[in-house]
Amino acid sequence: MSEHNSIGIVKAQTAHFDTPLNLKSGGTLPQFHLVYETYGTLNADKSNAVIICHALSGNHHVAGRYAETDKNAGWWDNLIGPNKPLDTNKFFVIGLNNLGGCHGSSGPSSINPETNQPFGASFPIVTVEDWVNSQVRLLEHLGISTLAAVVGGSLGGMQALQWTIAYPDLVRHALVIASAPNLTAQNIAFNEVARQAIMTDPEFYAGDYYAHNTVPRRGLRIARMLGHITYLSDDAMGEKFGRKLKDTIKYGFDVEFEMESYLRYQGDKFAGEFDANTYLRMTRALDYYDPALEFDNDLSAALKVAKAQFLVVSFTSDWRFSPARSREIVKALLDNERTVSYAEVTAAHGHDAFLMPDAHYHAILRTYLQKIEV
Amino acid sequence: MTKTMDNNVNFTNSEIKYRQDFAIIAGWVRFGSKVLDLGCGDGSLLQFLHSSLEARAYGVEKDDANWLACLQNGTNVIQMDLEAGLSGFEDQSFDTVILSQTLQAMHNTEAIVQEMLRVGREVIVTFPNFGYWRNRLQITAGSMPVSKTLPYQWYDTPNVHLCTINDFDKFCKNHKIEVMERKVITDAQEISFMPNFLGNLAMYRLKAA
């Protein structure tokens, strides 16, 4: 590869699992498969494995490219690679597509082996807890018994937190970035609007649109547009688009403002490549995650079992997963006298900041990860 | 803050430069206790307390560069602004809460002292004594004091609440704070005679009365 520090050409792999996975909803997946990628080399005592948990629309393609000619690298390529903050010369990094996803792991758009038809609406509701349980299966498949670290932003951060609760002996470090111990009412509200956009699309067919050879493109597009508004801060939007016009005011409803152009572009792009049923399930997993619920809403009690060392990071302009929500996690860890450091990164980009290569943010991750012994 | 100035000296694990104020603070902290250092700079005091007393140490630091230095030094560090209080910390959840040479730069001085007494069973506060004779001399000569412990010009100083030992004694009395111990040092020497005149750095061990 010509690109400096890139992991280079990567290849996705698939792992099949025949032992049933019991789900939090009470349902069961009799069999499933997970698509994943790995970067770097597993060391002799298998102590250098790091798992990357993806957010709402992420997948297993975290770093590198499939071909030299690929326009885009993996979604967190700025973080992961040789000599990058998450250094693949040191760590063996695993990225996977979560269950219910639409990038190769078992999900609503994959074929149900019992019917030879897409699962569609029949694919069960999966939760953060189910994902972590399935990720443990993937580790077993790879012959790895403990993780040096689990890293996740947003919904991925919830998975990192869940790892430390469900498998305290399996994870040494948790990097919980731009995340929260549960969603606020406002966040659930945004998710509901997104879901309503999808489910009221006439092409949705109660989730079985595959059989009708169509997709609820309009709904998915609107859902994504809404998401993009909330991932950015008002300031970042103002700076990037302001009131800029593409041409002149035309007294109509076509794209006139740059802002509209951006949203439509993002919406169209997403609607062309993402599955609506997956979007519904990912937002539901977000809504449902609440580890404190069964502890009388006491997060400190929920985190009592956690043994990992924690790095918690938030971003000042992130109003969807605000610093105050990260501080709740930090407080619960302090109550339990856990090893924890917390950074509140000054950033203008809102929730999206966790994916940006901000120098200080990356210095934090680099410093923390350098100190992990493998 | 004078803290930043003091941190020009770089401490490492293998070579911790002796500091009399650190030694006095260590004398007031019990072995293995849980300690919170507010405005912890690069974490050198906490490292010292951890290595000498196996203290379970946490720091609070606002500045990005200092925060990163703490992480590099292996200190647990929480990034927050002390002016907003200590709402992320439970009542009486630390054995000792320390505010080392930062009091004079706080805007909400009363609030932070009360917050420290809420969170810590004991509190250690140190500050440059404005009553030190060299400061008085400079004032008498007609200028604001500039010295090793007060290294700023009047126009660029972060120090907004400078006080003397007498002032702080009165503050404690008025706020029903028990002074468990007080030590005053000048150039690493303990001063017991006329401390408000001869002492450069004031160190207080406090608890709620």
Side-chain angles (χ1 to χ4, degrees), chain A residues 311 330-331 333-335 337-346 360 363-364 367-368 370-371, chain B residues 34 56 58 64-65 67-68 71-80 87-90 93-94:
Chain A
L311 175 67
V330 172
K331 181 180 182 301
L333 293 168
L334 285 171
D335 288 346
E337 274 188 46
R338 290 296 168 267
T339 297
V340 54
S341 284
Y342 168 63
E344 205 164 288
V345 178
T346 304
H360 178 59
I364 291 167
T367 303
Y368 190 88
Q370 268 173 352
K371 293 189 79 73
Chain B
K34 192 178 170 191
R56 291 162 293 150
Y58 294 86
D64 283 348
W67 188 96
L68 204 54
L71 195 70
Q72 185 66 50
N73 293 336
T75 300
N76 289 320
V77 58
I78 311 299
Q79 189 163 34
M80 56 184 270
S87 59
F89 299 92
E90 281 290 336
S93 56
F94 282 82

Side-chain angles (χ1 to χ4, degrees), chain A residues 43-115:
Chain A
N43 64 9
D45 50 5
K46 300 179 177 181
S47 62
N48 68 335
V50 173
I51 198 162
I52 307 293
C53 300
H54 70 72
L56 184 61
S57 60
N59 55 42
H60 56 289
H61 187 38
V62 188
R65 283 173 164 80
Y66 294 134
E68 298 254 5
T69 49
D70 279 4
K71 190 168 153 254
N72 295 317
W75 58 269
W76 219 350
D77 190 74
N78 63 35
L79 184 77
I80 299 160
N83 303 315
K84 286 186 180 177
L86 179 41
D87 188 352
T88 48
N89 291 326
K90 175 181 178 180
F91 292 108
F92 177 66
V93 181
I94 306 156
L96 81 154
N97 184 211
N98 280 337
L99 272 180
C102 55
H103 293 93
S105 291
S106 295
S109 55
S110 56
I111 300 295
N112 181 349
E114 286 168 17
T115 62

